[in-house]
């Protein structure tokens, strides 16, 4: 039993009503956000039962110091306690809890993961960049335009960016279950470039350094062999972009002039290159204070979104496409679909009631 009691750590997990579909949960602790999704299977997809999202900035200062700060870890632990409480309250059958770039890169990442398991009762698995790319693709699978030969799934995170070149026709043939077993990824790349790390390394973006940053990021992307392999195919109009990140959803909200962010308006929305650039220019001119007033940006993302735009600019330059499709989904959804499509082949190890130090995850 954990020596330090935490919210929800000693709650008894309720039993799901007989005859009801089992619940699955995915926790995604990223460099900037902590997110939870609880859902039940619905056909080839799922129905969301509960969710949670909080900006924790776990990677704050990581690029400069090489370690997670005490304040950042405290914020993440508090958010994970909320996730744990929701998971127990809903009587979830299977859970997967993942951590990404911040925990991969931090010198004290292992110590932090041990603290989370001890204090919160959640076992976080630090997944590889390849798995991160796979889950991002799986989570946005049904938004791929099968009228194109290829899709480039762009996942811009707080500490890294994952790019996955997908066979659109194979995605349709295999369906969700088939893609969960064998993702239709023709090539992938991960770069330690994200909105938090770039914003901290380039605090002068407001002073004419934006174009230089785009060129620097483009240069790093161009070093990967996928730039040469897939670039001509996109130049020939055979592919489209699919963005799964907060940068892309924020741009869509700005483009649509939403007075309040609405997932139903943003998820699946197509944006042309010219529309995306107009939204980007609007954010560049606005400055930090102006961006903080944007309903789909707010003060918590006002200092990060330009770095995300620079990453997207570099991607769009190397792998051109007339349009980009916006996905308000990603890792959590991919993890959930993977759990649901492997649950029959793996025996669930249910967490016993009580015992705050035991892991929530069954994977």
């Amino acid at each position: 039993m954990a020596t330090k009691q935490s919210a929800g750590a000693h709650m008894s997990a309720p039993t799901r009503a007989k005859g009801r579909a089992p619940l699955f949960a995915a926790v995604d602790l990223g460099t900037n956000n902590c997110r939870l999704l609880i859902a039940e299977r619905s056909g080839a997809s799922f129905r969301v039962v509960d969710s949670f999202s909080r900006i924790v900035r776990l990677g704050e200062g990581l690029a400069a110091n090489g370690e997670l700060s005490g304040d950042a870890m405290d914020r993440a632990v508090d958010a994970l306690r909320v996730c744990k409480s929701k998971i127990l309250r809903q009587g979830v059958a299977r859970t997967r809890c993942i951590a990404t770039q911040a925990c991969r890169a931090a010198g004290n990442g292992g110590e932090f993961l041990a603290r989370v398991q001890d204090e919160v009762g959640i076992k976080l698995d630090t997944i590889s960049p390849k798995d991160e790319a796979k889950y991002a693709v799986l989570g946005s699978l049904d938004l791929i335009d099968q009228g194109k030969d290829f899709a480039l799934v762009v996942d811009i995170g707080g500490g890294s960016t994952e790019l996955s070149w997908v066979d659109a026709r194979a995605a349709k043939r295999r369906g969700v279950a088939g893609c969960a077993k064998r993702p239709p990824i023709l090539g992938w790349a991960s770069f330690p470039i994200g909105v938090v790390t770039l914003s901290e390394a380039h605090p002068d973006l407001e002073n004419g350094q934006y174009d230089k940053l785009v060129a620097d990021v483009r240069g790093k992307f161009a070093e990967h062999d996928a730039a040469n392999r897939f670039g001509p195919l996109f130049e020939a109009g055979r592919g489209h972009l699919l963005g799964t990140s907060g940068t892309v959803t924020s741009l869509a909200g700005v483009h649509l002039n939403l007075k309040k962010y609405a997932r139903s308006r943003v998820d699946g929305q197509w944006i042309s290159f010219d529309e995306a650039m107009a939204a980007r220019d609007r954010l560049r001119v606005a400055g930090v204070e102006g961006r903080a007033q944007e309903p789909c940006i707010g003060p918590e993302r006002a200092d990060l979104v330009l770095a995300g735009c620079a990453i997207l600019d570099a991607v769009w330059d190397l792998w051109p496409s007339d349009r980009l499709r916006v996905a308000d989904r990603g890792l959590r959804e991919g993890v959930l679909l993977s759990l649901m499509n492997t649950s029959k082949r793996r025996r669930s190890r249910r967490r016993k009631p009580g015992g705050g130090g035991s892991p929530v995850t069954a994977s």
Side-chain angles (χ1 to χ4, degrees), residues 18 74 110 134-135 195 221 268 278 338 340 348 353:
K18 188 176 180 179
D74 289 344
K134 178 187 74 174
Y135 289 132
V195 297
F221 288 167
S338 180
M340 290 175 180
S348 174

Side-chain angles (χ1 to χ4, degrees), residues 153-346:
V153 179
V154 184
D155 183 14
I156 303 171
S160 66
T161 293
E162 277 68 46
L163 305 177
S164 303
W165 291 267
V166 177
D167 183 333
R169 307 270 169 88
K172 181 179 181 180
R173 288 196 308 271
R174 295 175 194 172
V176 173
C179 290
K181 300 173 188 175
R182 186 182 168 205
I185 299 175
L186 300 172
W188 71 278
S190 179
F191 302 87
I193 299 169
V195 297
V196 174
T197 51
L198 277 189
S199 297
E200 291 183 353
H202 299 272
D204 51 0
L205 286 182
E206 304 294 334
N207 301 313
Q209 297 300 305
Y210 180 87
D211 292 335
K212 181 179 183 302
L213 178 58
V214 173
D216 289 346
V217 174
R218 186 191 186 283
K220 290 181 173 64
F221 288 167
E223 293 173 0
H224 198 277
D225 66 348
N228 295 320
R229 288 173 57 203
F230 295 101
L233 301 175
F234 277 74
E235 289 172 0
R238 297 178 61 189
H240 79 91
L241 302 184
L242 198 165
T244 70
S245 65
T247 294
V248 176
T249 56
S250 296
L251 272 179
V254 171
H255 161 65
L256 294 169
N257 290 310
L258 298 181
K259 302 303 180 185
K260 182 180 180 181
Y261 185 81
R263 184 183 186 276
S264 61
R265 294 285 309 278
V266 170
D267 187 51
Q269 174 77 28
W270 284 100
I271 301 181
S272 71
F273 175 80
D274 290 341
E275 290 168 341
M277 293 305 102
R280 176 209 64 186
D281 291 343
R282 174 171 154 186
L283 294 175
R284 287 184 64 181
V285 171
V288 175
E289 292 184 1
R291 291 193 294 273
Q293 299 302 313
E294 287 279 355
C296 295
I297 306 292
E300 292 183 311
R301 290 188 173 90
D303 61 335
L304 302 178
V305 70
L306 271 195
C309 289
I311 295 171
L312 184 60
D313 274 0
V315 169
W316 219 318
D317 190 45
L318 284 168
W319 300 283
S321 172
D322 290 341
R323 299 193 301 169
L324 172 147
R325 197 164 197 187
V326 181
D328 186 350
R329 58 183 80 184
L331 288 181
R332 292 176 304 167
E333 289 80 3
V335 170
L336 275 178
L337 288 169
S338 180
L339 276 177
M340 290 175 180
N341 285 280
T342 59
S343 61
K344 292 181 180 179
R345 301 193 301 274
R346 297 181 60 183

Side-chain angles (χ1 to χ4, degrees), residues 16 20 23 37-40 47-51 90:
R16 184 88 162 138
R20 296 292 301 275
L23 294 181
L37 207 57
I38 299 175
E40 63 182 9
R47 184 184 71 83
V48 175
V49 172
D50 202 353
S51 64
Q90 293 288 354

Side-chain angles (χ1 to χ4, degrees), residues 1-4 10 118 354-357:
M1 184 175 292
T3 57
K4 182 177 179 180
H10 299 281
D118 180 53

Side-chain angles (χ1 to χ4, degrees), residues 63-102:
N65 304 316
E67 292 195 338
L68 306 174
S69 72
D71 288 345
M73 290 188 287
D74 289 344
R75 292 193 296 267
V77 166
D78 287 343
L80 288 167
R81 285 184 177 130
V82 177
C83 296
K84 171 71 175 288
S85 177
K86 286 177 173 286
I87 289 168
L88 294 180
R89 187 183 309 123
Q90 293 288 354
V92 172
R94 289 194 65 201
T95 301
R96 181 88 191 277
C97 306
I98 62 171
T100 55
Q101 178 63 17

Side-chain angles (χ1 to χ4, degrees), residues 18-80:
K18 188 176 180 179
R20 296 292 301 275
L23 294 181
F24 300 81
V27 176
D28 167 22
L29 179 63
T31 302
N32 197 45
N33 293 278
C34 178
R35 299 183 174 99
L36 163 72
L37 207 57
I38 299 175
E40 63 182 9
R41 191 192 302 270
S42 177
S45 187
F46 56 79
R47 184 184 71 83
V48 175
V49 172
D50 202 353
S51 64
F52 171 76
S53 179
R54 179 182 293 175
I55 293 176
V56 296
R57 296 209 182 198
L58 180 61
E60 187 175 62
L62 176 60
N65 304 316
E67 292 195 338
L68 306 174
S69 72
D71 288 345
M73 290 188 287
D74 289 344
R75 292 193 296 267
V77 166
D78 287 343
L80 288 167

